[in-house]
Amino acid sequence: MPALCGCERASTPGIDSPSNLAMFDMRTKVRFAHKSDGSHQGLPGPAPLLGRDMGVRYMLKRHFLAGITGIAMAAMATTAVHAKSLDDILSDDVIRIGINPNFPNMSTRNDAGDWEGFDIDVGNALAAQLGVEVEWVPTETPQRVPFLVSDRIDLSLGALTRNTERAKLIDYTVPLHTEVLAVLATDKIDGGSWEDFNKDGVTLANMRGNWTVGWIEENMPNVEIELVDTLADTVRLVAQGRADAIVENIDFFMAFTENYSDVNWRVVENPIFVAYCAIGVSQGNDNLTEVLNIALHGLHSSGMINETWEKHYGAPMLRTVNPDPYF
């Protein structure tokens, strides 16, 4: 869901090449000052950061994940169900895939009422390799793990970030895609690192309820935050000069920059961090996980995953997943 280096595409002048992405330096000094007015309250996010410098975010995530764990454990206690095996799925001729119903470019309904997006194309490709039909199951972000635990879905898409807390409850496949926390700005403001934007006079656009609002308050205490409701609105604020930049999982914002072709967009060098998202599977459903891993290796190796990402997001994945037969 942030300028880390850049992502360049012909249709978006000014965005740097993905090859320039630099690894996040875990030695980076992060300040833990608190904002005095407490005017913005963000929600905790999905995946804990590594390293003591990311302590604040880790605490936020602990809070968030504790909620997920509680929901999932409650589901386990009340349902005590077993996941459908691969044989059951093949016998039923259908696989139930959890998707986020309100996640444009990942999964959303078009004007005709049909599902479309990156997750939809990937889900259909996986189902085709299994030789079964797909039943799409809308699952909001907090429902993904509980739905797996209670056997309401066979697998979960929806940018499910890998982390150890979730891994105590579900299994993951190999990585499907990445998400990069970085800074998206324009050539109207200088700065080669996310820390360069932490200064008086800088306004960051973000969304209400987004966990990165809290992260910004803790780690970039000198900026102002302008809150809106959608990804598109955040990009619009920057394009119109009403905000200077966006600090978020930038991959998900890139497509909206195409609406402002007269703006020289850039992704700031050096990402804040890179997270790996995978497909969630019920714990112990090893046969299904193994088949999905083999299928994913084929989709990565053929270029389908990266091409599908660029098709829906309008730019290459900022950090691609390199297929490895042993991963």
Side-chain angles (χ1 to χ4, degrees):
M1 311 274 55
L4 315 165
C5 80
C7 148
E8 173 158 73
R9 53 210 163 90
S11 58
T12 307
I15 295 181
D16 300 329
S17 166
S19 63
N20 291 332
L21 276 171
M23 292 295 294
F24 174 52
D25 183 358
M26 298 304 296
R27 296 166 300 178
T28 299
K29 181 65 175 177
V30 178
R31 283 162 285 190
F32 297 111
H34 292 273
K35 194 161 183 150
S36 58
D37 61 7
S39 57
H40 303 297
Q41 296 297 323
L43 297 178
L49 294 176
L50 299 178
R52 61 185 177 84
D53 288 340
M54 293 301 171
V56 170
R57 186 175 177 201
Y58 176 71
M59 292 178 64
L60 289 171
K61 288 175 180 296
R62 281 188 62 189
H63 186 69
F64 170 74
L65 293 168
I68 287 180
T69 303
I71 293 172
M73 292 303 291
M76 293 173 69
T78 56
T79 58
V81 294
H82 296 286
K84 287 175 64 176
S85 68
L86 177 61
D87 286 344
D88 291 335
I89 293 169
L90 296 178
S91 177
D92 292 344
D93 197 30
V94 63
I95 187 165
R96 301 165 300 171
I97 299 180
I99 52 172
N100 191 324
N102 300 302
F103 201 165
N105 299 332
M106 275 291 183
S107 51
T108 190
R109 288 190 183 277
N110 59 25
D111 293 339
D114 299 323
W115 291 107
E116 65 179 11
F118 173 81
D119 277 349
I120 306 304
D121 287 354
V122 170
N124 281 326
L126 293 172
Q129 296 211 17
L130 291 173
V132 297
E133 300 294 325
V134 177
E135 176 186 341
W136 303 111
V137 182
T139 56
E140 299 289 351
T141 299
Q143 297 174 322
R144 293 171 298 179
V145 171
F147 271 41
L148 281 172
V149 171
S150 59
D151 189 36
R152 297 177 66 177
I153 55 176
D154 300 311
L155 60 88
S156 176
L157 298 175
L160 189 65
T161 309
R162 296 187 311 180
N163 61 58
T164 54
E165 291 303 318
R166 287 186 181 135
K168 295 173 185 175
L169 299 167
I170 63 173
D171 289 343
Y172 286 107
T173 64
V174 297
L176 171 59
H177 62 84
T178 61
E179 57 184 23
V180 178
L181 185 67
V183 180
L184 175 65
T186 71
D187 62 356
K188 301 295 184 184
I189 183 170
D190 295 329
S193 153
W194 66 271
E195 292 176 299
D196 295 337
F197 289 78
N198 179 29
K199 57 186 179 183
D200 291 337
V202 171
T203 299
L204 300 182
N206 210 314
M207 292 180 292
R208 295 181 177 87
N210 199 339
W211 73 268
T212 47
V213 174
W215 187 91
I216 291 169
E217 288 181 336
E218 297 294 341
N219 296 285
M220 304 177 74
N222 298 320
V223 304
E224 296 294 327
I225 304 177
E226 183 72 23
L227 296 179
V228 291
D229 293 324
T230 68
L231 303 181
D233 286 342
T234 61
V235 176
R236 177 174 54 82
L237 286 186
V238 176
Q240 295 176 345
R242 298 163 58 190
D244 300 296
I246 300 168
V247 175
E248 243 294 349
N249 290 320
I250 286 304
D251 298 82
F252 305 127
F253 292 72
M254 300 307 294
F256 298 105
T257 63
E258 293 187 339
N259 297 328
Y260 307 95
S261 58
D262 57 333
V263 175
N264 289 323
W265 297 97
R266 68 189 185 98
V267 178
V268 174
E269 196 81 21
N270 300 323
I272 300 170
F273 85 100
V274 179
Y276 286 82
C277 299
I279 298 174
V281 182
S282 295
Q283 205 164 55
N285 207 348
D286 297 337
N287 203 358
L288 175 61
T289 304
E290 182 177 6
V291 170
L292 291 174
N293 282 339
I294 294 171
L296 281 174
H297 180 263
L299 296 179
H300 278 299
S301 299
S302 69
M304 182 271 181
I305 298 294
N306 288 333
E307 292 169 3
T308 302
W309 184 274
E310 188 164 353
K311 166 188 168 186
H312 290 288
Y313 283 98
M317 205 178 299
L318 292 178
R319 280 291 179 82
T320 58
V321 176
N322 298 317
D324 184 326
Y326 296 101
F327 75 177

